[in-house]
Amino acid sequence: VPAFNAGRVDVCAAHYRTALESALLLGRDGLSTGEADVLLAALQQADAQDPTEAAWTYRRAMDAVLVR
């Protein structure tokens, strides 16, 4: 978030992407199939987005998984 707020949207998106990828690699036992699907879908969707949209896509996916 500090990177995003400082105008470094690309850095924020990269950090979020790394967080999602790490969660998928390290947390398979801690994630339900639905949660993993949410994170995978966000990663795929963000591939076609600009950094600002991608950062928000990643953030919404993380929030959705954390709420469950």
Coordinates of all heavy atoms in Angstrom, one line a residue:
V1 N 0.8 -1.2 0.0 CA 0.0 0.0 0.0 C 0.9 1.3 0.0 O 0.6 2.2 -0.7 CB -1.0 0.0 1.2 CG1 -1.7 1.3 1.3 CG2 -2.0 -1.1 1.0
P2 N 2.0 1.3 0.8 CA 2.8 2.5 0.8 C 3.3 2.8 -0.7 O 3.4 4.0 -1.1 CB 3.9 2.3 1.7 CG 3.3 1.3 2.7 CD 2.4 0.4 1.9
A3 N 3.7 1.8 -1.4 CA 4.2 2.0 -2.7 C 3.1 2.5 -3.6 O 3.3 3.4 -4.4 CB 4.7 0.6 -3.3
F4 N 1.9 2.0 -3.5 CA 0.8 2.5 -4.3 C 0.5 3.9 -4.0 O 0.4 4.8 -4.9 CB -0.5 1.6 -4.0 CG -1.6 1.9 -4.9 CD1 -1.8 1.1 -6.0 CD2 -2.5 2.9 -4.7 CE1 -2.9 1.3 -6.9 CE2 -3.6 3.2 -5.6 CZ -3.8 2.4 -6.7
N5 N 0.5 4.3 -2.7 CA 0.2 5.6 -2.3 C 1.3 6.6 -2.7 O 1.0 7.8 -2.9 CB -0.1 5.7 -0.8 CG -1.4 5.0 -0.4 OD1 -2.2 4.8 -1.3 ND2 -1.5 4.7 0.8
A6 N 2.5 6.1 -2.9 CA 3.6 6.9 -3.3 C 3.7 7.0 -4.8 O 4.7 7.6 -5.3 CB 4.9 6.4 -2.7
G7 N 2.8 6.5 -5.5 CA 2.8 6.5 -7.0 C 3.5 5.4 -7.6 O 3.7 5.4 -8.9
R8 N 4.0 4.5 -6.9 CA 4.7 3.3 -7.5 C 3.8 2.1 -7.6 O 4.0 1.1 -7.0 CB 5.9 3.0 -6.6 CG 7.0 4.0 -6.5 CD 7.6 4.4 -7.8 NE 8.0 3.3 -8.7 CZ 9.1 2.6 -8.7 NH1 10.1 3.1 -7.9 NH2 9.3 1.6 -9.5
V9 N 2.8 2.3 -8.4 CA 1.7 1.3 -8.6 C 2.3 0.0 -9.1 O 1.9 -1.1 -8.7 CB 0.7 1.9 -9.6 CG1 -0.4 0.8 -9.9 CG2 0.0 3.1 -9.0
D10 N 3.3 0.1 -10.0 CA 4.0 -1.1 -10.5 C 4.7 -1.9 -9.4 O 4.6 -3.1 -9.4 CB 5.0 -0.7 -11.6 CG 6.1 0.3 -11.1 OD1 5.8 1.1 -10.2 OD2 7.2 0.3 -11.7
V11 N 5.3 -1.2 -8.5 CA 5.9 -1.9 -7.4 C 4.9 -2.6 -6.5 O 5.0 -3.7 -6.1 CB 6.8 -1.0 -6.6 CG1 7.3 -1.6 -5.3 CG2 8.0 -0.4 -7.4
C12 N 3.8 -1.9 -6.2 CA 2.7 -2.4 -5.4 C 2.1 -3.7 -6.1 O 2.0 -4.7 -5.4 CB 1.6 -1.4 -5.2 SG 0.2 -2.0 -4.3
A13 N 1.9 -3.6 -7.4 CA 1.3 -4.7 -8.1 C 2.3 -5.9 -8.1 O 1.8 -7.0 -7.9 CB 1.0 -4.3 -9.5
A14 N 3.6 -5.6 -8.2 CA 4.5 -6.7 -8.1 C 4.6 -7.4 -6.8 O 4.7 -8.6 -6.7 CB 5.9 -6.2 -8.5
H15 N 4.5 -6.6 -5.7 CA 4.5 -7.1 -4.4 C 3.2 -8.0 -4.1 O 3.3 -9.1 -3.6 CB 4.5 -6.0 -3.3 CG 5.8 -5.4 -3.1 ND1 6.5 -4.7 -4.0 CD2 6.6 -5.4 -2.0 CE1 7.7 -4.3 -3.5 NE2 7.8 -4.7 -2.3
Y16 N 2.1 -7.5 -4.6 CA 0.8 -8.2 -4.4 C 0.9 -9.5 -5.2 O 0.4 -10.6 -4.7 CB -0.4 -7.4 -4.9 CG -0.8 -6.3 -3.9 CD1 -1.8 -5.4 -4.3 CD2 -0.4 -6.2 -2.6 CE1 -2.3 -4.4 -3.4 CE2 -0.8 -5.2 -1.7 CZ -1.8 -4.4 -2.2 OH -2.3 -3.4 -1.3
R17 N 1.4 -9.5 -6.4 CA 1.5 -10.7 -7.2 C 2.4 -11.7 -6.5 O 2.0 -12.9 -6.5 CB 2.1 -10.4 -8.6 CG 2.1 -11.6 -9.5 CD 2.6 -11.3 -10.9 NE 2.4 -12.5 -11.7 CZ 1.3 -12.8 -12.4 NH1 0.3 -12.1 -12.3 NH2 1.3 -13.9 -13.1
T18 N 3.5 -11.3 -6.0 CA 4.4 -12.2 -5.3 C 3.7 -12.8 -4.1 O 3.8 -14.0 -3.8 CB 5.6 -11.4 -4.8 OG1 6.3 -11.0 -6.0 CG2 6.6 -12.3 -4.0
A19 N 2.9 -12.0 -3.4 CA 2.1 -12.5 -2.2 C 1.1 -13.6 -2.7 O 1.0 -14.6 -2.0 CB 1.4 -11.3 -1.5
L20 N 0.4 -13.3 -3.7 CA -0.6 -14.3 -4.2 C 0.1 -15.6 -4.6 O -0.3 -16.7 -4.3 CB -1.4 -13.8 -5.4 CG -2.7 -13.1 -5.0 CD1 -2.5 -11.9 -4.1 CD2 -3.5 -12.8 -6.2
E21 N 1.2 -15.5 -5.4 CA 2.0 -16.6 -5.9 C 2.5 -17.4 -4.7 O 2.5 -18.7 -4.7 CB 3.1 -16.2 -6.8 CG 2.6 -15.7 -8.1 CD 3.7 -15.1 -9.0 OE1 4.7 -14.7 -8.5 OE2 3.4 -15.0 -10.2
S22 N 3.1 -16.7 -3.7 CA 3.6 -17.3 -2.5 C 2.5 -18.1 -1.7 O 2.7 -19.2 -1.2 CB 4.3 -16.3 -1.6 OG 5.4 -15.8 -2.2
A23 N 1.4 -17.5 -1.6 CA 0.3 -18.1 -0.9 C -0.1 -19.4 -1.6 O -0.4 -20.4 -0.9 CB -0.9 -17.2 -0.8
L24 N -0.1 -19.4 -2.9 CA -0.5 -20.6 -3.6 C 0.6 -21.7 -3.5 O 0.3 -22.9 -3.4 CB -0.7 -20.3 -5.1 CG -2.0 -19.5 -5.4 CD1 -2.0 -18.9 -6.8 CD2 -3.2 -20.4 -5.2
L25 N 1.9 -21.3 -3.5 CA 3.0 -22.2 -3.4 C 3.1 -22.8 -2.0 O 3.4 -24.0 -1.8 CB 4.3 -21.6 -3.8 CG 4.4 -21.3 -5.3 CD1 5.7 -20.5 -5.6 CD2 4.5 -22.6 -6.1
L26 N 3.0 -21.9 -1.0 CA 3.3 -22.3 0.4 C 2.0 -22.7 1.1 O 2.1 -23.4 2.2 CB 4.0 -21.2 1.1 CG 5.3 -20.8 0.5 CD1 5.9 -19.6 1.2 CD2 6.3 -21.9 0.5
G27 N 0.9 -22.3 0.7 CA -0.3 -22.4 1.5 C -1.4 -23.4 1.0 O -2.5 -23.3 1.4
R28 N -1.0 -24.3 0.1 CA -2.0 -25.2 -0.4 C -2.8 -25.9 0.7 O -4.0 -26.1 0.6 CB -1.4 -26.2 -1.4 CG -1.0 -25.6 -2.7 CD -2.2 -25.4 -3.5 NE -1.8 -25.0 -4.9 CZ -2.6 -24.7 -5.8 NH1 -3.9 -24.9 -5.6 NH2 -2.2 -24.3 -7.0
D29 N -2.1 -26.3 1.7 CA -2.8 -27.0 2.8 C -3.7 -26.0 3.6 O -4.6 -26.5 4.2 CB -1.7 -27.6 3.8 CG -1.0 -28.7 3.2 OD1 -1.5 -29.3 2.2 OD2 0.1 -29.0 3.6
G30 N -3.4 -24.7 3.6 CA -4.2 -23.8 4.3 C -5.2 -23.1 3.5 O -6.0 -22.3 4.0
L31 N -5.3 -23.4 2.2 CA -6.3 -22.8 1.3 C -7.3 -23.8 0.9 O -6.9 -24.9 0.5 CB -5.6 -22.2 0.1 CG -4.6 -21.0 0.3 CD1 -4.0 -20.7 -1.1 CD2 -5.4 -19.8 0.8
S32 N -8.5 -23.4 0.8 CA -9.5 -24.3 0.2 C -9.3 -24.2 -1.3 O -8.7 -23.3 -1.8 CB -10.9 -23.8 0.6 OG -11.2 -22.6 0.0
T33 N -10.0 -25.1 -2.0 CA -10.0 -25.1 -3.4 C -10.5 -23.8 -3.9 O -10.0 -23.2 -4.9 CB -10.7 -26.3 -4.0 OG1 -10.1 -27.5 -3.5 CG2 -10.7 -26.3 -5.5
G34 N -11.6 -23.4 -3.3 CA -12.2 -22.1 -3.7 C -11.3 -20.9 -3.5 O -11.3 -20.0 -4.4
E35 N -10.6 -20.9 -2.4 CA -9.7 -19.8 -2.2 C -8.5 -19.8 -3.2 O -8.2 -18.7 -3.7 CB -9.1 -19.9 -0.7 CG -10.2 -19.6 0.3 CD -9.8 -19.9 1.7 OE1 -8.9 -20.8 1.9 OE2 -10.4 -19.4 2.6
A36 N -8.0 -21.0 -3.4 CA -6.9 -21.1 -4.4 C -7.5 -20.6 -5.8 O -6.7 -19.9 -6.5 CB -6.4 -22.5 -4.5
D37 N -8.7 -21.0 -6.1 CA -9.3 -20.6 -7.4 C -9.4 -19.1 -7.5 O -9.2 -18.5 -8.6 CB -10.6 -21.2 -7.6 CG -10.6 -22.7 -7.9 OD1 -9.5 -23.2 -8.2 OD2 -11.6 -23.4 -7.8
V38 N -9.8 -18.4 -6.4 CA -9.9 -17.0 -6.4 C -8.5 -16.3 -6.7 O -8.4 -15.4 -7.5 CB -10.4 -16.5 -5.1 CG1 -10.2 -15.0 -4.9 CG2 -11.9 -16.8 -4.9
L39 N -7.5 -16.8 -6.1 CA -6.1 -16.3 -6.3 C -5.6 -16.6 -7.7 O -5.1 -15.7 -8.3 CB -5.2 -16.9 -5.2 CG -5.5 -16.6 -3.8 CD1 -4.4 -17.1 -2.9 CD2 -5.7 -15.1 -3.5
L40 N -5.8 -17.8 -8.2 CA -5.4 -18.1 -9.5 C -6.2 -17.2 -10.6 O -5.5 -16.8 -11.5 CB -5.7 -19.6 -9.8 CG -4.7 -20.5 -9.2 CD1 -5.2 -22.0 -9.3 CD2 -3.4 -20.4 -9.8
A41 N -7.4 -17.0 -10.4 CA -8.2 -16.2 -11.3 C -7.7 -14.8 -11.3 O -7.6 -14.1 -12.4 CB -9.7 -16.2 -10.9
A42 N -7.4 -14.3 -10.1 CA -6.8 -12.9 -10.1 C -5.5 -12.8 -10.8 O -5.3 -11.8 -11.5 CB -6.6 -12.5 -8.6
L43 N -4.6 -13.8 -10.6 CA -3.4 -13.8 -11.3 C -3.6 -13.8 -12.9 O -2.9 -13.0 -13.6 CB -2.5 -15.0 -10.9 CG -1.9 -14.9 -9.5 CD1 -1.4 -16.3 -9.1 CD2 -0.9 -13.8 -9.4
Q44 N -4.5 -14.6 -13.3 CA -4.8 -14.6 -14.8 C -5.4 -13.4 -15.3 O -5.0 -12.8 -16.3 CB -5.6 -15.8 -15.1 CG -5.0 -17.2 -14.8 CD -5.9 -18.3 -14.9 OE1 -7.1 -18.2 -14.9 NE2 -5.3 -19.5 -15.0
Q45 N -6.3 -12.8 -14.5 CA -7.0 -11.6 -14.9 C -6.0 -10.4 -15.0 O -6.1 -9.6 -15.9 CB -8.2 -11.3 -14.0 CG -9.0 -10.1 -14.3 CD -10.1 -9.8 -13.3 OE1 -10.3 -10.6 -12.4 NE2 -10.8 -8.7 -13.5
A46 N -5.2 -10.4 -14.0 CA -4.2 -9.2 -13.9 C -3.2 -9.2 -15.1 O -2.7 -8.2 -15.4 CB -3.5 -9.2 -12.6
D47 N -3.0 -10.4 -15.7 CA -2.1 -10.4 -16.8 C -2.5 -9.5 -18.0 O -1.6 -9.0 -18.7 CB -1.9 -11.8 -17.3 CG -1.1 -12.7 -16.4 OD1 -0.3 -12.2 -15.6 OD2 -1.2 -14.0 -16.6
A48 N -3.7 -9.2 -18.1 CA -4.3 -8.4 -19.2 C -4.5 -7.0 -18.7 O -5.1 -6.2 -19.5 CB -5.5 -9.0 -19.8
Q49 N -4.1 -6.6 -17.5 CA -4.5 -5.3 -17.0 C -3.2 -4.4 -16.8 O -2.1 -4.9 -16.7 CB -5.1 -5.5 -15.6 CG -6.5 -6.2 -15.7 CD -7.0 -6.5 -14.3 OE1 -6.3 -6.7 -13.3 NE2 -8.4 -6.4 -14.2
D50 N -3.5 -3.1 -16.8 CA -2.4 -2.2 -16.5 C -2.1 -2.3 -15.0 O -2.9 -2.9 -14.2 CB -2.7 -0.8 -16.9 CG -3.9 -0.2 -16.0 OD1 -3.8 -0.2 -14.8 OD2 -4.8 0.4 -16.6
P51 N -0.9 -1.8 -14.5 CA -0.5 -2.0 -13.1 C -1.5 -1.5 -12.1 O -1.7 -2.2 -11.0 CB 0.8 -1.2 -13.0 CG 1.3 -1.3 -14.4 CD 0.1 -1.2 -15.3
T52 N -2.2 -0.4 -12.3 CA -3.2 0.0 -11.4 C -4.4 -1.0 -11.2 O -4.8 -1.3 -10.1 CB -3.8 1.4 -11.8 OG1 -2.7 2.3 -11.8 CG2 -4.8 1.9 -10.8
E53 N -4.9 -1.4 -12.4 CA -6.0 -2.4 -12.3 C -5.5 -3.7 -11.7 O -6.3 -4.3 -11.0 CB -6.5 -2.6 -13.7 CG -7.3 -1.4 -14.3 CD -7.6 -1.6 -15.8 OE1 -6.9 -2.4 -16.5 OE2 -8.5 -1.0 -16.3
A54 N -4.3 -4.1 -12.1 CA -3.8 -5.3 -11.6 C -3.6 -5.3 -10.0 O -4.0 -6.2 -9.3 CB -2.5 -5.7 -12.2
A55 N -3.1 -4.2 -9.5 CA -3.0 -4.0 -8.1 C -4.3 -4.2 -7.4 O -4.4 -4.9 -6.3 CB -2.3 -2.7 -7.7
W56 N -5.3 -3.6 -7.9 CA -6.7 -3.7 -7.3 C -7.2 -5.1 -7.5 O -7.9 -5.6 -6.5 CB -7.6 -2.6 -7.9 CG -7.4 -1.3 -7.3 CD1 -6.9 -0.2 -7.9 CD2 -7.8 -0.9 -6.0 NE1 -6.9 0.8 -7.0 CE2 -7.4 0.4 -5.8 CE3 -8.3 -1.6 -4.9 CZ2 -7.6 1.1 -4.6 CZ3 -8.5 -1.0 -3.7 CH2 -8.2 0.4 -3.6
T57 N -7.0 -5.7 -8.6 CA -7.4 -7.1 -8.8 C -6.8 -8.0 -7.7 O -7.5 -8.8 -7.1 CB -7.1 -7.6 -10.2 OG1 -7.9 -6.8 -11.1 CG2 -7.5 -9.1 -10.4
Y58 N -5.5 -7.9 -7.5 CA -4.8 -8.7 -6.5 C -5.3 -8.4 -5.1 O -5.6 -9.3 -4.3 CB -3.3 -8.4 -6.5 CG -2.6 -8.7 -7.8 CD1 -1.6 -7.9 -8.3 CD2 -2.9 -9.9 -8.5 CE1 -0.9 -8.2 -9.5 CE2 -2.2 -10.2 -9.7 CZ -1.2 -9.3 -10.2 OH -0.5 -9.7 -11.3
R59 N -5.5 -7.1 -4.8 CA -6.0 -6.7 -3.5 C -7.3 -7.2 -3.2 O -7.6 -7.8 -2.1 CB -6.0 -5.2 -3.4 CG -6.4 -4.6 -2.1 CD -5.6 -5.2 -0.9 NE -6.2 -4.8 0.4 CZ -5.7 -3.8 1.1 NH1 -4.8 -3.0 0.7 NH2 -6.3 -3.5 2.3
R60 N -8.2 -7.2 -4.1 CA -9.6 -7.7 -3.9 C -9.6 -9.2 -3.7 O -10.3 -9.7 -2.9 CB -10.5 -7.3 -5.1 CG -10.8 -5.8 -5.1 CD -11.8 -5.5 -6.3 NE -11.9 -4.1 -6.4 CZ -11.4 -3.4 -7.4 NH1 -10.7 -3.9 -8.4 NH2 -11.6 -2.1 -7.5
A61 N -8.7 -9.9 -4.4 CA -8.6 -11.3 -4.3 C -8.1 -11.7 -2.9 O -8.6 -12.6 -2.2 CB -7.7 -11.9 -5.3
M62 N -7.0 -10.9 -2.4 CA -6.5 -11.2 -1.1 C -7.6 -10.9 0.0 O -7.8 -11.7 0.9 CB -5.3 -10.3 -0.8 CG -4.1 -10.8 -1.6 SD -2.6 -9.8 -1.1 CE -2.8 -8.3 -2.0
D63 N -8.3 -9.8 -0.2 CA -9.4 -9.5 0.8 C -10.4 -10.5 0.8 O -10.9 -10.9 1.8 CB -10.0 -8.1 0.4 CG -9.0 -6.9 0.7 OD1 -8.0 -7.1 1.4 OD2 -9.4 -5.8 0.2
A64 N -10.8 -11.0 -0.4 CA -11.8 -12.1 -0.5 C -11.4 -13.3 0.2 O -12.2 -14.0 0.9 CB -12.2 -12.4 -1.9
V65 N -10.2 -13.7 0.1 CA -9.7 -14.9 0.8 C -9.5 -14.7 2.3 O -9.8 -15.6 3.1 CB -8.3 -15.4 0.1 CG1 -7.7 -16.5 1.0 CG2 -8.6 -15.9 -1.3
L66 N -9.1 -13.5 2.7 CA -8.9 -13.3 4.1 C -10.3 -13.2 4.8 O -10.3 -13.5 6.0 CB -8.2 -11.9 4.3 CG -6.7 -12.0 3.9 CD1 -6.1 -10.6 4.0 CD2 -5.9 -13.0 4.9
V67 N -11.3 -12.8 4.2 CA -12.6 -12.6 4.8 C -13.2 -14.0 5.1 O -14.0 -14.1 6.1 CB -13.6 -11.8 3.9 CG1 -15.0 -11.9 4.4 CG2 -13.1 -10.4 3.9
R68 N -13.0 -15.0 4.3 CA -13.6 -16.3 4.5 C -13.2 -17.0 5.8 O -12.4 -17.0 6.4 CB -13.2 -17.2 3.3 CG -13.8 -16.7 2.0 CD -13.5 -17.6 0.9 NE -14.0 -17.1 -0.3 CZ -13.9 -17.6 -1.5 NH1 -13.2 -18.7 -1.6 NH2 -14.4 -17.1 -2.5

